[in-house]
Amino acid sequence: MMNQILFAGVIGLFLTLIGTPLLIKLLARKGYGQYIRDDGPREHASKRGTPTMGGIAFILATLAAYFLSKVITGKPPTFSGLLVLGLMVGMGMVGFLDDYIKIVKRRSLGLRAKAKMAGQLIVGIGFAVLSLQFADSRGQTPASTKLSFITDFGWTIGPVLFVVWALFMILAMSNGVNLTDGLDGLATGASVLVFGAYTFIGVWQFQESCANGDTLTNPGACYEVRDPLDLAVVASALMGSCLGFLWWNTSPAKIFMGDTGSLALGGVLAGLAICSRTELLLAILGGLFVLITMSVVIQVGSFRLTGKRVFRMAPLQHHFELKGWSEVLVVVRFWIIQGICVIVGLGLFYAGWAADK
């Protein structure tokens, strides 16, 4: 069964390594280059015209890797896996429309705010509603109406509040990754680390699933997750696909993921957290995205309340650029921060299991 995870990761890596340069040539031929804002760091002016919408590469590679791993191993897809992949594609389509309008109309804002929000809401609500359907033989649905940290806790919040909560997570993470995607390879590399964590979490939850009964090493701390192994397959496919894309996206980037990629990655991170019952843990595992999002909130809030800025520029990565850090230095140090967040998150995940022993 674990072969699915290996196949998905390797296939995803291979497809983006060979497929991304083909996409670069296609986008360059059509003139689909990045629009650079005039009020950004001056060093970014040289990036104007770099092909964007590169998220297409790892979205397609992830889908191909997932389904090919199923064909090779003879294992059927699960509802949890398909829903998370559907969320990725849906958010990616919203991002694609945003990128396309930026390129065609030559304006940095892309879709109007209301239209972009409407697209995200439609996709998010669809995912949230469907994730409470498709119960298995044990009555487990892909998502739960209980809040979760390392597993479900507390009282049920009901389906309506669950949809609101799921929407908040999807919007927060998709926009968090979008804000992080400001330097070459930053969001891609950070995402690889989080997907690696979710590959491990899925495998662990599968081994310690309540469905396994007598084989559990810790019966008091089993996981009520519908399809943990398949979520690990999805995470592995994403990890491999993003790693291959990073080869071309790292400094100096030959291609940018665009909103096509950043909204898709944020959406699928939220989907993995919801379906693996680790919703609040995502705030730690994806700590870099949270930190960068909060820097924007603080900057905007401070300016509106006091007329003063806390940072030289927001999001946070640009503040350090303006302080004189090179782009590569910012990216590597932020990757280290993200790595620490993943280590802490996985440590808490394991500690929660061990504490119930």
Side-chain angles (χ1 to χ4, degrees), residues 8 27 117 124 215 222 279 288 333 336 340:
L27 295 173
M117 179 62 71
T215 63
C222 64
E279 296 160 358
L288 180 64
R333 286 181 173 173
I336 292 171
I340 294 171

Side-chain angles (χ1 to χ4, degrees), residues 305-348:
L305 292 174
T306 68
K308 297 180 180 180
R309 292 180 172 86
V310 176
F311 307 105
R312 294 187 180 185
M313 186 176 181
L316 187 61
Q317 62 268 30
H318 299 317
H319 167 78
F320 289 103
E321 277 191 292
L322 294 179
K323 286 190 66 174
W325 292 18
S326 69
E327 180 175 8
V328 172
L329 182 62
V330 176
V331 169
V332 172
R333 286 181 173 173
F334 276 39
W335 281 349
I336 292 171
I337 292 172
Q338 178 56 61
I340 294 171
C341 292
V342 165
I343 291 170
V344 172
L346 289 178
L348 290 172

Side-chain angles (χ1 to χ4, degrees), residues 173-190:
M173 285 308 301
S174 60
N175 288 293
V177 177
N178 185 252
L179 291 171
T180 304
D181 183 37
L183 300 181
D184 295 355
L186 178 57
T188 310

Side-chain angles (χ1 to χ4, degrees), residues 278-320:
T278 56
E279 296 160 358
L280 297 178
L281 185 64
L282 179 60
I284 300 174
L285 291 173
L288 180 64
F289 304 127
V290 176
L291 178 65
I292 288 176
T293 301
M294 290 306 299
S295 74
V296 175
V297 173
I298 292 170
Q299 184 85 325
V300 173
S302 175
F303 186 75
R304 288 183 176 177
L305 292 174
T306 68
K308 297 180 180 180
R309 292 180 172 86
V310 176
F311 307 105
R312 294 187 180 185
M313 186 176 181
L316 187 61
Q317 62 268 30
H318 299 317
H319 167 78
F320 289 103

Side-chain angles (χ1 to χ4, degrees), residues 5-319:
I5 297 172
L6 177 62
F7 287 138
V10 171
I11 293 170
L13 173 64
F14 175 76
L15 289 178
T16 46
L17 277 175
I18 65 169
T20 304
L22 300 177
L23 179 62
I24 292 171
K25 292 179 181 179
L26 175 63
L27 295 173
R29 189 181 307 124
K30 291 183 173 293
Y32 290 174
Q34 178 70 32
Y35 182 94
I36 302 297
R37 293 171 53 183
D38 294 330
D39 59 347
R42 285 178 295 177
E43 293 79 5
H44 289 200
S46 61
K47 301 181 181 184
R48 183 174 282 111
T50 301
T52 187
M53 297 194 293
I56 295 171
F58 57 74
I59 290 173
L60 293 178
T62 298
L63 293 174
Y66 175 81
F67 287 108
L68 284 174
S69 71
K70 296 298 180 183
V71 171
I72 293 171
T73 60
K75 302 295 182 182
T78 67
F79 287 113
S80 297
L82 293 176
L83 281 172
V84 172
L85 290 173
L87 178 60
M88 175 188 71
V89 173
M91 296 299 288
M93 290 178 65
V94 175
F96 175 82
L97 290 174
D98 193 40
D99 286 333
Y100 187 77
I101 292 173
K102 288 177 186 176
I103 293 167
V104 172
K105 295 191 175 182
R106 297 292 176 182
R107 58 189 176 99
S108 62
L109 296 179
L111 274 174
R112 300 296 180 189
K114 290 183 179 179
K116 189 173 183 179
M117 179 62 71
Q120 291 175 303
L121 288 175
I122 291 170
V123 175
I125 291 172
F127 168 82
V129 171
L130 291 174
S131 67
L132 295 178
Q133 313 302 317
F134 310 112
D136 62 11
S137 58
R138 299 176 60 248
Q140 293 295 322
T141 54
S144 168
T145 55
K146 291 183 177 181
L147 295 177
S148 61
F149 180 46
I150 54 176
T151 186
D152 287 344
F153 69 86
W155 298 284
T156 179
I157 60 175
V160 175
L161 286 180
F162 167 77
V163 170
V164 174
W165 170 238
L167 276 175
F168 171 77
M169 288 191 62
I170 293 167
L171 293 174
M173 285 308 301
S174 60
N175 288 293
V177 177
N178 185 252
L179 291 171
T180 304
D181 183 37
L183 300 181
D184 295 355
L186 178 57
T188 310
S191 297
V192 167
L193 294 172
V194 187
F195 290 134
Y198 271 108
T199 302
F200 171 81
I201 286 173
V203 171
W204 189 272
Q205 288 179 333
F206 173 72
Q207 293 175 339
E208 301 297 328
S209 172
C210 296
N212 292 340
D214 296 336
T215 63
L216 292 172
T217 59
N218 183 8
C222 64
Y223 298 97
E224 290 286 7
V225 178
R226 189 189 191 283
D227 306 298
L229 185 63
D230 210 39
L231 294 176
V233 174
V234 172
S236 178
L238 282 158
M239 179 175 62
S241 298
C242 287
L243 195 59
F245 180 76
L246 183 60
W247 181 273
W248 306 101
N249 181 232
T250 195
S251 183
K254 303 297 183 184
I255 188 171
F256 300 135
M257 70 169 68
D259 283 14
T260 305
S262 60
L263 296 188
L265 290 181
V268 78
L269 282 171
L272 286 170
I274 291 168
C275 290
S276 64
R277 315 290 171 85
T278 56
E279 296 160 358
L280 297 178
L281 185 64
L282 179 60
I284 300 174
L285 291 173
L288 180 64
F289 304 127
V290 176
L291 178 65
I292 288 176
T293 301
M294 290 306 299
S295 74
V296 175
V297 173
I298 292 170
Q299 184 85 325
V300 173
S302 175
F303 186 75
R304 288 183 176 177
L305 292 174
T306 68
K308 297 180 180 180
R309 292 180 172 86
V310 176
F311 307 105
R312 294 187 180 185
M313 186 176 181
L316 187 61
Q317 62 268 30
H318 299 317
H319 167 78

